[in-house]
Amino acid sequence: MDSKFDFGAQDRARTVYIRPVALDSLPRDVQEQMPDVQTLYAVHDTDGERLALVQDRNLAFTLARQNELRPVSVH
C-alpha cells in the first residue's frame, strides 16, 4: 500500500481549519472590540487565509458546516 491517492483539489477546497488565537496577537482595533475575551477562534482555508474570527469554538465549527465546509481542529 505504498501507492499515492489523489484526493483532488475539490476536497481540499472544502476543508477549513479551526484554531485558537490569543487576543493579544491580533490588531489593537480587534482587541478593543473584545475587552473581556482572551481567546478567539479563527477559521482558515487550506492556503492559510483567515476566513472568519469568532468568539466561540462551537460557533466556528457551526459556521463552517453551515457554509458546507468541513472543519478540522488545529492546535
Side-chain angles (χ1 to χ4, degrees):
M1 303 284 320
D2 287 335
S3 55
K4 293 183 178 184
F5 180 78
D6 181 13
F7 289 98
Q10 187 174 29
D11 285 339
R12 282 192 303 267
R14 296 178 53 97
T15 300
V16 292
Y17 299 99
I18 311 295
R19 72 177 188 91
V21 178
L23 187 64
D24 61 3
S25 69
L26 296 171
R28 175 87 37 213
D29 63 326
V30 175
Q31 293 179 32
E32 291 170 354
Q33 293 176 35
M34 309 295 263
D36 298 328
V37 176
Q38 296 300 314
T39 304
L40 295 173
Y41 292 87
V43 180
H44 292 267
D45 66 12
T46 56
D47 293 326
E49 181 179 349
R50 184 180 298 151
L51 304 174
L53 192 60
V54 297
Q55 189 172 349
D56 181 80
R57 183 178 184 273
N58 290 332
L59 179 58
F61 276 84
T62 300
L63 177 67
R65 289 185 185 115
Q66 286 178 342
N67 286 282
E68 299 179 4
L69 300 169
R70 296 182 189 137
V72 177
S73 183
V74 176
H75 302 281

